[in-house]
Amino acid sequence: MPPRSEPEPARPILEAVGVSRSYRRGQETVQAVRDVSLAVVPGEMTLILGPSGGGKSTLLHLLGGMDRPTSGEVRSEGVAVSRLPAEALAAFRRQKIGFVFQSFYLLPHLSALDNVAMPLLLDNVPAPRRRQRAAQMLEQVGLGGRANFFPGQLSGGEAQRVAIARALAADPPILIADEPTGDLDSVSGRQVMELLAELAHRERRAVVVVTHNEAFVPLADRVFRIRDGQVMGPEAGVPMAAVAAERIRSGPRPVGALIGLALKAAWRRPSRSILTGLGVAVGIAAMVLLVSVGAGLSQRVTQSILSEGPLTTIFVSPQASSGGVGSLFSGGATTGPVHPISQATIARLASLPGAAGAWAQVNMIGHAGNSGRQSFLVVTALPPKRLWPDQVAPSLIAGHLPTASGQAVVTKSVGQAMFPTLAHPASWIGKQLTLAVSASTGSGGSGFSPLSGPALAPRPVVITGVLSAGLGSAQVSIPYSQAVAWFDSGAAKGVLPTYPEAVVVAKSAAMVGALSSRITKLGFGVTAMSSIVTQVQSAFSTVEVGLGVVGGIALVVAGLMIAVVMAMAVLERRREIGVLRALGSTTSDVFFLFLTEATIVGLGGGAVGVLVGWGLGRLGEKLLAQPGLFLVQPALVLLGLGLGTVVALVAGAIPAGRAAGLNPVEALRQD
Ligand code: ADP
């Protein structure tokens, strides 16, 4: 022991002034510490001795700012420690106190080096600096070679020396040790006590050690004996100077380092984290899959509706209808007088204000023929090109749309029936067919009536393209004017030809409403394409929401799983939480740490879920040979990730709150 000069007594760095602490236990009040006054001085090793249950630990917790006295005050260098607000009290522990516990309380998932660096992490010291300092401290306690060992790989004496290095890391002026030799054999116990004494004498720290071992008395500079909560000792009852309420600053919180710590903790039990994350993943994947299949179907149906004409299309029927989605879905009940749709009607509709043009719906039934082969089919009119913008024009798998009369596009089944030797649709382009129509839809709109007259005669057409839609159906589409001419020539002699339906195209979407009501006033039935699309889409949105809810239920279950797992983790990790608090982390640090852990699991699960949902969708499309069946929108990906996070945050909040709310002294109590 180095010689010390006595004459000028050092000023106390930590003082208890008339401190009492009582606990309520049922009806009783237990006085754990009664009216204790004592001072701790830098450069001295102070021993607190006494029998078990005498109040030693309680006093130590009060001195270390882990607990607040029921009455009296703990002071340090002019600061009323016991009256500091919680955040500042945590900062006081971080900066002024180094704790050493009986059972070391090293964090098992961190290396010796990372354990030692923990107080620096909590004090927001940059990583390289804290690793350097931690290595230096390990060197100082003689464990330079054990930096990368985990606590489970250390002997008791080594573990306690790592714990002392940790207590020294933030260079606190005060070291507080609670039965530091209690779990050690006598040789290592002695070494630890000698190390503590050396830290007091050589580095002039104030070292306070609780022990019940009288053998260590000779190492101490000052001894207090405590029994039944009362102190008997040389310096009991030292009068104290007045206290200035200077604040302890608490620095910015180590957000990045805490996230790193949360990652490590999540990784500590990989299978548990992965299983929990998988719960979220299943929920998100189900949601992504179900919602995207809904969106895919909705898009398909919308596209097939729009192939009937642009969004500015208005379908006009001869009779006012009482509502419903209209002729496309074989509509609602019709009422009122019938207004036959003739060419004059078409011209009138086309000239209405707001109308870009109009055409008649013309559908006929007929036969195609080629070298003796005959095929029954539907002949439709391609609407006038001017009124049929590219985005709604029928798509072709080969060739182009007709540009003159005498040309036609066919579906694949017509080509296959007519040219059985030519496998490839492209090879049908330029080939000739004969077309003969035999029936057409009349002005009533439903049912076909047989045609008479010249339309019956077979006429040649040249194939210019093959339609990609209507793969199974036999259909030929010819230019509008030609279709109308055939239709008209099929009408009975002396009868004005009338059409089942007219199609009016508005100049813009904004004009659809006004134009529709003008047409209604003329006594026709009106259905706007936009309202059909809106109705279909809203029907599908309902389906999508329903499907999303099914996925959502899976998510709620996943959330409950996270909550349960986190709650278990908090129970299991009480001690870790206590240690973090003793090392000076604030309640919000602990809350943030646990919430981050939950979020990592949720976000990871969300990411996996989105990927799996997307992958399964792609796989489904391949297996069913239905490209575009699953429509995964970018918003859905974000929603999936966001929901995973939100579920985790909600599920993690209560357990994290419980973790943060744990009383550090209770959390550390041996059980
Ligand atoms: P020591 O460390 O000397 O063994 P403690 O400070 O742990 O003594 O305890 C002193 C007394 O206070 C004991 O009677 C103990 O039962 C009581 N005590 C300590 N903590 C609590 C608590 N949280 N609730 C109730 N009683 C407590």
Side-chain angles (χ1 to χ4, degrees):
M1 209 183 293
R4 278 165 286 124
S5 46
E6 292 297 333
E8 201 185 305
R11 290 171 55 83
I13 188 164
L14 189 62
E15 306 153 325
V17 186
V19 163
S20 297
R21 177 68 165 102
S22 55
Y23 295 104
R24 291 208 62 85
R25 203 187 277 155
Q27 292 297 322
E28 262 182 284
T29 304
V30 181
Q31 277 282 350
V33 167
R34 305 163 195 254
D35 192 25
V36 166
S37 295
L38 56 79
V40 173
V41 178
E44 287 190 1
M45 169 124 120
T46 302
L47 279 196
I48 298 178
L49 271 163
S52 178
K56 304 186 294 294
S57 300
T58 304
L59 178 59
L60 217 53
H61 288 141
L62 292 171
L63 287 172
M66 288 272 278
D67 193 10
R68 294 176 198 271
T70 322
S71 64
E73 200 162 83
V74 174
R75 298 170 187 170
S76 174
E77 298 180 306
V79 177
V81 173
S82 45
R83 282 194 272 135
L84 285 175
E87 293 272 313
L89 191 61
F92 167 79
R93 290 197 298 270
R94 268 196 316 276
Q95 294 159 14
K96 299 284 173 146
I97 309 281
F99 276 102
V100 178
F101 306 96
Q102 176 172 350
S103 307
F104 334 131
Y105 293 160
L106 298 176
L107 302 183
H109 56 294
L110 298 182
S111 67
L113 190 81
D114 286 342
N115 263 291
V116 174
M118 182 60 72
L120 301 172
L121 181 151
L122 294 175
D123 212 19
N124 218 0
V125 173
R129 173 85 192 87
R130 54 178 199 255
R131 295 183 72 81
Q132 184 197 358
R133 168 83 184 165
Q136 207 181 334
M137 289 303 102
L138 278 174
E139 207 66 62
Q140 187 177 350
V141 298
L143 291 176
R146 298 281 192 272
N148 295 320
F149 281 47
F150 282 84
Q153 301 168 308
L154 299 170
S155 74
E158 287 172 337
Q160 194 59 298
R161 279 188 285 155
V162 170
I164 292 171
R166 173 176 68 184
L168 291 172
D171 199 18
I174 303 160
L175 283 188
I176 287 183
D178 192 356
E179 299 269 15
T181 64
D183 284 4
L184 302 179
D185 60 81
S186 58
V187 176
S188 346
R190 180 96 204 158
Q191 282 173 348
V192 160
M193 285 306 268
E194 280 168 357
L195 176 60
L196 288 169
E198 193 184 313
L199 291 169
H201 301 146
R202 210 181 56 206
E203 301 189 354
R204 300 208 60 76
R205 295 179 206 273
V207 178
V208 188
V209 181
V210 154
T211 181
H212 59 262
N213 191 339
E214 293 282 340
F216 296 130
V217 169
L219 285 174
D221 303 283
R222 213 175 280 248
V223 177
F224 297 100
R225 291 176 192 276
I226 184 166
R227 178 185 290 273
D228 296 331
Q230 280 180 305
V231 157
M232 294 146 287
E235 306 253 349
V238 179
M240 294 293 150
V243 170
E246 185 202 327
R247 281 291 185 96
I248 298 252
R249 277 183 310 109
S250 90
R253 306 312 303 134
V255 172
L258 286 173
I259 292 174
L261 213 56
L263 271 170
K264 270 194 180 136
W267 188 242
R268 176 156 40 134
R269 291 200 170 73
S271 51
R272 181 194 283 185
S273 302
I274 288 171
L275 275 178
T276 318
L278 224 53
V280 178
V282 168
I284 301 273
M287 201 196 71
V288 166
L289 206 59
L290 292 174
V291 172
S292 61
V293 84
L297 285 176
S298 161
Q299 197 191 46
R300 281 185 163 206
V301 172
T302 304
Q303 267 169 0
S304 84
I305 293 171
L306 283 177
S307 70
E308 300 289 325
L311 209 54
T312 44
T313 301
I314 300 164
F315 298 97
V316 179
S317 57
Q319 206 174 8
S321 113
S322 61
V325 180
S327 64
L328 271 183
F329 299 107
S330 73
T334 48
T335 52
V338 174
H339 300 265
I341 296 170
S342 64
Q343 280 301 342
T345 318
I346 300 286
R348 177 149 182 225
L349 290 172
S351 66
L352 286 174
W359 74 82
Q361 280 289 28
V362 181
N363 291 313
M364 293 168 283
I365 290 176
H367 284 85
N370 176 43
S371 1
R373 269 182 283 276
Q374 286 272 315
S375 179
F376 190 65
L377 43 65
V378 173
V379 179
T380 65
L382 291 164
K385 199 165 182 327
R386 179 177 72 83
L387 299 175
W388 224 35
D390 287 345
Q391 61 267 28
V392 293
S395 57
L396 303 173
I397 53 174
H400 58 85
L401 289 171
T403 51
S405 68
Q407 297 180 342
V409 284
V410 298
T411 55
K412 217 170 159 182
S413 72
V414 173
Q416 281 163 345
M418 292 292 104
F419 315 105
T421 53
L422 300 175
H424 204 273
S427 55
W428 307 333
I429 309 295
K431 296 274 181 262
Q432 197 173 310
L433 288 177
T434 56
L435 271 185
V437 294
S438 52
S440 74
T441 45
S443 65
S446 56
F448 283 82
S449 44
L451 295 174
S452 57
L456 222 47
R459 293 161 230 225
V461 291
V462 174
I463 295 172
T464 62
V466 180
L467 291 161
S468 64
L471 287 181
S473 65
Q475 184 189 321
V476 172
S477 298
I478 57 176
Y480 177 69
S481 51
Q482 190 174 12
V484 168
W486 287 11
F487 186 96
D488 291 355
S489 67
K493 277 229 153 47
V495 176
L496 182 70
T498 57
Y499 311 97
E501 193 173 64
V503 180
V504 179
V505 177
K507 280 181 181 148
S508 73
M511 295 180 183
V512 167
L515 184 54
S516 296
S517 54
R518 277 187 200 109
I519 300 171
T520 309
K521 283 207 189 92
L522 298 177
F524 295 103
V526 167
T527 308
M529 175 73 91
S530 51
S531 73
I532 299 174
V533 170
T534 310
Q535 283 183 43
V536 166
Q537 283 180 342
S538 85
F540 269 102
S541 319
T542 314
V543 172
E544 277 174 54
V545 167
L547 292 174
V549 165
V550 173
I553 291 170
L555 264 185
V556 169
V557 174
L560 287 176
M561 221 164 105
I562 292 190
V564 169
V565 168
M566 289 305 292
M568 265 161 52
V570 171
L571 279 184
E572 261 177 31
R573 283 154 64 187
R574 285 167 62 91
R575 186 141 310 148
E576 176 183 336
I577 295 163
V579 173
L580 287 175
R581 296 292 305 281
L583 297 182
S585 67
T586 61
T587 51
S588 50
D589 289 345
V590 173
F591 183 75
F592 181 78
L593 183 67
F594 276 81
L595 205 58
T596 306
E597 236 181 279
T599 307
I600 289 167
V601 169
L603 197 61
V608 170
V610 167
L611 279 179
V612 167
W614 180 82
L616 284 180
R618 284 289 99 88
L619 190 70
E621 287 178 351
K622 278 247 162 60
L623 291 180
L624 301 172
Q626 298 269 353
L629 182 60
F630 294 88
L631 188 68
V632 181
Q633 288 130 323
L636 193 60
V637 172
L638 288 182
L639 186 75
L641 293 180
L643 268 182
T645 310
V646 167
V647 164
L649 284 177
V650 171
I654 291 172
R658 288 181 61 116
L662 273 184
N663 173 332
V665 175
E666 296 287 328
L668 283 176
R669 192 172 294 279
Q670 302 270 19
D671 38 19

